[in-house]
């Protein structure tokens, strides 16, 4: 496939617009390039700022929602574009959990619940960055004991790597000196038309999951695993995202659309296919692979058309989808869910792959 990638560059976003001190640490923009992909990442929140992927004509578009300067990332109400969320991605009921019988209290920053690590999660801190080559970025962060209420010094290494197969591969490792809970994920907001180019209701999605974790009205799982068959939650056959999003179905009303964890069809921690998404017009095709047991499908329901992103484009309602590979929400309070406890001497490991192609 020939592309016009020599004339379009992730460098359209000014490096100078990210060259700034935040919280006493240097923020920068880093560029990765391999195959048909070009990616720009900032060490503020370990966020993917832009991701250029070709369509079936080889024309590149930036499919990642975000901003073209650090000031907007620091000051926006939308904290999560492209970032790494943690210490615990997704929700913890009422901001409380126990490890080894001891209760910990966290910020309730999402109604009555805790979301994505708290008031200042990993998406809002400055990571240490090292770029060993033109297709790899290594990031490191030490989350100190008690930060946002979590126990233990959590030492995290994160690697973004572009592969020869047009993949963005994200590898996480972490260790702790006290028993703690960990659930890290990337919160990329994708639009395969190109960021800011309308909604994603025409994207055709497949999710490799026969079950999901239904939620209550505050979006906390009930603890049950329910079959998707016969409901609007069923993406085991490729289906347009918008076809049933406004169906008269309680779970969709709770989330104002899709904002649910899917229980992936897998046995262990092997790297396996979680989901695919195709945008028919451009032909762009995304595969999501993960070692995690679940994936959160979020359909951009809380984007309201007031946010202006890169190139001044408006991010409309349902103008993006997220596929966040993860352990299930509220797992620390749900003994039947796979454990998220990390103990001293153990190493947390997780891999997510976003693979781009055309069909």
């Amino acid at each position: 496939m020939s592309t016009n990638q020599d004339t379009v560059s992730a460098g359209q976003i000014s490096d100078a617009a990210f060259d700034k001190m935040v919280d006493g640490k240097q923020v920068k923009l880093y560029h990765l390039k391999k195959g048909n992909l070009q990616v720009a990442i900032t060490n503020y929140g370990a966020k993917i700022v832009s991701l250029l992927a070709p369509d079936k004509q080889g024309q590149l578009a930036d499919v990642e929602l975000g901003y073209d300067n650090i000031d907007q990332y620091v000051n926006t109400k939308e904290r999560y574009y492209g970032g790494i969320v943690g210490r615990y991605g997704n929700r913890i009921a009422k901001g409380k959990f126990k490890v080894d019988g001891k209760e910990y209290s966290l910020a309730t920053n999402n109604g009555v619940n805790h979301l994505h690590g708290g008031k200042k999660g990993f998406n809002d801190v400055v990571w240490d960055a090292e770029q060993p080559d033109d297709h790899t970025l290594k990031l490191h962060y030490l989350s100190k004991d008690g930060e946002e209420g979590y126990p233990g010094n959590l030492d995290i290494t994160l690697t973004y790597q572009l592969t020869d197969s047009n993949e963005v591969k994200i590898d996480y490792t972490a260790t702790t000196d006290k028993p703690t809970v960990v659930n890290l994920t990337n919160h990329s907001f994708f639009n395969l038309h190109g960021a800011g180019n309308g909604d994603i209701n025409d994207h055709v999605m497949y999710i490799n999951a026969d079950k999901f974790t239904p939620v209550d009205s505050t979006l906390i799982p009930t603890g049950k695993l329910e079959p998707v068959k016969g409901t609007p939650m069923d993406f085991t056959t490729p289906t347009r995202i918008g076809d049933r999003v406004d169906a008269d179905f309680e779970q969709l009303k709770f989330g104002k659309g899709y904002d649910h964890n899917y229980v992936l069809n897998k046995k262990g921690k092997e790297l396996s296919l979680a989901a695919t998404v195709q945008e028919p017009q451009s032909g762009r095709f995304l595969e999501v692979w993960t070692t995690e047991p679940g994936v959160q499908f979020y359909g951009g329901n809380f984007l309201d058309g007031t946010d202006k992103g890169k190139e001044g484009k408006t991010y409309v309602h349902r103008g993006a989808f997220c596929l966040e590979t993860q352990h299930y929400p509220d797992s620390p309070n749900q003994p039947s869910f796979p454990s998220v406890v990390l103990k001293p001497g153990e190493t947390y490991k997780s891999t997510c792959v976003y693979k781009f192609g055309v069909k």
Side-chain angles (χ1 to χ4, degrees):
M1 178 192 299
S2 65
T3 76
N4 63 344
Q5 63 182 27
D6 292 332
T7 56
V8 178
S9 167
Q12 285 177 323
I13 296 177
S14 162
D15 288 6
F18 285 82
D19 188 356
K20 189 168 184 173
M21 300 293 287
V22 177
D23 295 336
K25 295 183 74 173
Q26 180 65 50
V27 171
K28 288 189 174 180
L29 193 65
Y30 299 85
H31 300 278
L32 308 183
K33 183 176 178 180
K34 192 158 194 175
N36 294 322
L37 297 183
Q38 297 178 47
V39 179
I41 300 166
T42 176
N43 59 319
Y44 176 73
K47 296 173 193 275
I48 300 176
V49 172
S50 71
L51 199 164
L52 296 176
D55 65 8
K56 55 193 173 188
Q57 270 79 47
Q59 297 296 308
L60 290 172
D62 184 355
V63 298
E64 179 96 31
L65 272 66
Y67 303 112
D68 43 26
N69 64 81
I70 187 62
D71 292 334
Q72 276 188 282
Y73 278 106
V74 169
N75 297 312
T76 181
K77 66 175 184 176
E78 178 48 76
R79 312 301 315 163
Y80 304 117
Y81 288 143
I84 298 300
V85 293
R87 182 172 304 193
Y88 196 91
N90 219 305
R91 295 172 177 87
I92 294 177
K94 297 177 181 172
K96 294 187 184 300
F97 68 94
K98 288 182 180 179
V99 177
D100 290 349
K102 182 176 179 181
E103 185 171 84
Y104 295 91
S105 293
L106 312 171
T108 50
N109 61 321
N110 185 245
V112 297
N113 301 317
H114 176 83
L115 177 66
H116 290 336
K119 292 181 179 177
K120 189 173 183 177
F122 296 168
N123 54 287
D124 275 332
V125 301
V126 182
W127 296 59
D128 298 317
E130 173 194 358
Q131 187 168 4
D133 54 48
D134 63 358
H135 58 276
T136 308
L137 183 67
K138 291 192 171 185
L139 296 143
H140 174 262
Y141 182 65
L142 177 64
S143 174
K144 293 185 178 177
D145 183 23
E147 182 178 312
E148 287 292 330
Y150 289 94
N153 291 293
L154 188 72
D155 195 299
I156 312 144
T157 299
L158 163 71
T159 304
Y160 284 108
Q161 188 170 42
L162 304 190
T163 76
D164 290 326
S165 302
N166 294 315
E167 298 167 336
V168 180
K169 186 182 181 191
I170 310 171
D171 285 308
Y172 309 82
T173 63
T175 57
T176 183
D177 59 1
K178 278 186 191 175
T180 191
V181 295
V182 188
N183 189 31
L184 305 179
T185 191
N186 175 272
H187 209 316
S188 283
F189 285 65
F190 293 117
N191 184 327
L192 300 185
H193 291 297
N197 294 342
D199 65 41
I200 47 82
N201 287 329
D202 64 337
H203 289 39
V204 177
M205 177 170 287
Y206 161 78
I207 302 178
N208 183 23
D210 295 329
K211 295 179 180 178
F212 77 110
T213 51
V215 293
D216 64 19
S217 61
T218 74
L219 303 182
I220 292 293
T222 63
K224 297 177 181 177
L225 308 183
E226 289 191 358
V228 298
K229 190 172 182 180
T231 79
M233 311 305 290
D234 188 354
F235 286 91
T236 55
T237 301
T239 305
R240 282 171 27 117
I241 291 173
D243 278 359
R244 301 165 304 185
V245 68
D246 294 316
D248 185 10
F249 187 69
E250 184 179 62
Q251 287 295 305
L252 292 176
K253 290 179 179 179
F254 285 162
K256 295 183 168 42
Y258 295 105
D259 192 5
H260 294 80
N261 171 69
Y262 283 77
V263 177
L264 295 175
N265 296 331
K266 64 192 301 179
K267 293 177 182 176
K269 297 180 180 179
E270 73 277 12
L271 185 67
S272 62
L273 182 67
T276 67
V277 187
Q278 183 174 15
E279 194 278 281
Q281 189 177 339
S282 69
R284 287 190 186 89
F285 187 73
L286 171 64
E287 296 178 7
V288 181
W289 294 70
T290 184
T291 56
E292 293 292 301
V295 64
Q296 183 87 5
F297 167 39
Y298 168 59
N301 313 315
F302 297 100
L303 296 173
D304 61 7
T306 61
D307 194 24
K308 291 194 183 299
K310 288 172 284 188
E311 300 178 350
K313 290 183 177 179
T314 298
Y315 293 156
V316 299
H317 184 231
R318 297 181 179 150
F321 66 89
C322 304
L323 288 165
E324 304 154 67
T325 58
Q326 61 177 13
H327 272 59
Y328 310 160
D330 199 37
S331 290
N333 297 311
Q334 304 274 1
S336 65
F337 288 179
S339 175
V340 291
V341 174
L342 181 69
K343 295 182 177 179
E346 299 175 342
T347 300
Y348 169 92
K349 291 185 178 180
S350 182
T351 297
C352 169
V353 175
Y354 293 121
K355 181 174 183 177
F356 290 86
V358 292
K359 275 199 169 185

